[in-house]
Amino acid sequence: MRYCKNCGAELEEGSVFCNECGYKLNGKPQNNSIFNMYDIEMIEGEEIIKKSEINTACLIVPTILTVFGVIIWIIEMVNLGPYGFVTGLIFNPILIVGVIWLIIRFIAYKNTDLILTNKRVFGKCGLISTVQMQSPIVKIDTVSFSNGLIGKALGYGTIIVSTTSSHFKFRFINNAHELSNYIFHQLEINDKEMIEKQAEAIAKAVKD
């Protein structure tokens, strides 16, 4: 028996794609879909409902810290001349931390995705330690969001997706409340479809 290396679902004999997550078992995806960059094929009948956007607010604090470090560096150069150019760089932890933090945040900003389709939720975040989730709608337990005063003012928040086995957190999501509502609504639709299918199966069994 074979199992999907992406989601662990049991595979049918001769399968080319995983029926659970749509992962291409051999070769690369043939569709020009939003999942191509992750080497994931869209499932038959799958449609993208919503794709998240990351708020640039994630760059504000490290940018401020970097600017403050640059100001200190300039002051050092004014006071010490050429010698201050070197010491202002080497002995300026605020500038060093600010630049490193800004680079990390920017790369994370460019590499965070949260995508909802009518069949699954896909998410990716992180830089050094990358977290990637891909869960069929049926395996999602709950979805929630949170935001503080700054998040409310700037229009971003944190979305938490809980599956049957793990919790995934996506920060600085634009209109997090709206996206979490989309996911929750899709969960309701899926539950309704499952109930209807079960009812049809029971009715058919009684009829036979």
Side-chain angles (χ1 to χ4, degrees), residues 99-109 127-128:
V99 170
I100 294 174
W101 191 5
L102 183 60
I103 291 172
I104 291 175
R105 274 286 177 85
F106 181 77
I107 295 175
Y109 165 76
L127 176 62
I128 298 174

Side-chain angles (χ1 to χ4, degrees), residues 6 22 25 28 37 61 66 81 89 91 95 111 123 149 155 157 172 176 205-206:
N6 186 62
L25 303 177
K28 295 183 178 180
M37 67 182 72
V61 175
T66 300
L89 282 177
F91 303 106
L95 178 59
N111 289 278
L149 290 176
F172 297 105
V206 172

Side-chain angles (χ1 to χ4, degrees), residues 1-13 15-26 39-41 43 120 132 134-136 139:
M1 184 62 64
R2 293 194 304 156
Y3 297 90
C4 175
K5 64 180 181 180
N6 186 62
C7 72
E10 187 175 307
L11 300 173
E12 296 178 1
E13 189 66 30
S15 297
V16 178
F17 301 102
C18 173
N19 290 329
E20 288 292 329
C21 69
Y23 186 78
K24 180 82 170 180
L25 303 177
N26 294 299
D39 196 26
I40 299 172
E41 181 68 20
I43 306 168
R120 60 182 158 179
Q132 181 170 311
Q134 186 176 182
S135 176
K139 293 186 178 181

Side-chain angles (χ1 to χ4, degrees), residues 100-159:
I100 294 174
W101 191 5
L102 183 60
I103 291 172
I104 291 175
R105 274 286 177 85
F106 181 77
I107 295 175
Y109 165 76
K110 299 295 288 185
N111 289 278
T112 298
D113 275 313
L114 184 58
I115 304 167
L116 169 67
T117 76
N118 59 330
K119 295 184 180 292
R120 60 182 158 179
V121 173
F122 172 85
K124 174 182 175 291
C125 61
L127 176 62
I128 298 174
S129 178
T130 301
V131 176
Q132 181 170 311
M133 70 158 288
Q134 186 176 182
S135 176
I137 293 293
V138 294
K139 293 186 178 181
I140 294 177
D141 289 335
T142 60
V143 57
S144 60
F145 89 100
S146 62
N147 59 355
L149 290 176
I150 298 177
K152 290 178 181 178
L154 298 179
Y156 71 84
T158 298
I159 291 181

Side-chain angles (χ1 to χ4, degrees), residues 24 38 40 42 49 59 64 72 75-76 88 99 104 115 127 135 146-147 152 173 176 181 191 196 198 204:
K24 180 82 170 180
Y38 302 111
I40 299 172
M42 293 186 74
I49 297 174
L59 305 175
I64 292 174
I72 294 175
I75 293 174
E76 286 288 322
V99 170
I104 291 175
I115 304 167
L127 176 62
S135 176
S146 62
N147 59 355
K152 290 178 181 178
I173 302 295
N181 282 341
D191 289 341
E196 289 175 351
Q198 289 173 355
K204 184 178 180 181

